Amino acid sequence: MAAFIAKQMVGNQLKSVTGAIGDKDEEGKKNEEGDEDEDPEIAEARREAEEKRKDKHRKMEEEREELRQSIRDKYGLKKREKTPEEEVAQPLAEGRIGRKKKTPAELAAENNADSDDDELSSFPKNLTELQSKVSELPTKLAAGVGEVTQKCVVQ
């Protein structure tokens, strides 16, 4: 307990001393904010390097597209045309691992298809429909048995 109290007292005094000398954390913050104080020549060199990098990647992508086109021509493949929905969804899907997100139109169509295929949609709504379906069962069963006996002959 006494060691804890002593550490607290000495620790607080050391923090005030390091703050006066200059802490590494403060220097890190200055470097992050130091873009305004950066030498104009360095800023220009950084901008030029970024432009060179972008130009290099643009040229590489053009070369790749030429190679893709030569492969398409060689094997008679057609270039896949992107729909407007795919073009909008692509930036969001970049770096995404799972499947693409469904559009509201696709979700609505899927819900309509599910509601049509529901097992409960064929279920009778009232008691009279249920009674009529139950009364039809023996006749359907007899007809099914009759068909089977006609097709299957025991020898």
Side-chain angles (χ1 to χ4, degrees):
M1 181 76 173
F4 175 74
I5 294 171
K7 187 176 181 183
Q8 290 296 320
M9 292 172 55
V10 173
N12 287 338
Q13 291 174 354
L14 287 176
K15 285 182 184 176
S16 65
V17 172
T18 56
I21 295 173
D23 203 10
K24 290 182 181 178
D25 292 335
E26 292 176 5
E27 291 176 13
K29 291 178 184 176
K30 287 181 185 176
N31 287 341
E32 291 173 5
E33 299 170 358
D35 291 339
E36 298 101 24
D37 299 335
E38 190 175 34
D39 188 23
E41 293 175 359
I42 295 173
E44 180 66 21
R46 190 173 286 164
R47 186 185 60 76
E48 287 177 9
E50 181 67 20
E51 287 178 5
K52 286 180 183 177
R53 185 190 66 80
K54 286 182 180 179
D55 190 43
K56 176 185 168 187
H57 286 284
R58 183 185 53 78
K59 286 179 183 177
M60 286 173 51
E61 187 58 35
E62 288 174 357
E63 291 172 1
R64 288 179 186 149
E65 186 57 36
E66 289 175 7
L67 181 63
R68 290 182 196 119
Q69 189 58 45
S70 67
I71 292 171
R72 284 188 209 110
D73 294 341
K74 181 178 179 181
Y75 294 106
L77 303 174
K78 295 180 182 175
K79 185 174 182 179
R80 182 177 156 198
E81 298 295 329
K82 293 184 179 180
T83 61
E85 292 176 0
E86 288 178 352
E87 291 175 1
V88 171
Q90 186 195 15
L92 300 174
E94 191 173 304
R96 188 178 173 112
I97 295 177
R99 63 176 175 79
K100 73 176 184 100
K101 212 172 198 181
K102 292 183 179 179
T103 63
E106 290 173 337
L107 289 172
E110 187 175 300
N111 287 339
N112 288 340
D114 287 344
S115 65
D116 292 343
D117 295 337
D118 247 355
E119 294 176 14
L120 297 177
S121 62
S122 64
F123 194 75
K125 302 287 188 256
N126 56 31
L127 188 60
T128 56
E129 287 181 30
L130 182 62
Q131 288 174 346
S132 66
K133 289 199 182 251
V134 169
S135 64
E136 293 173 2
L137 282 176
T139 56
K140 288 184 178 179
L141 184 61
V145 169
E147 289 177 15
V148 170
T149 54
Q150 288 175 357
K151 291 181 180 177
C152 298
V153 177
V154 178
Q155 293 180 2

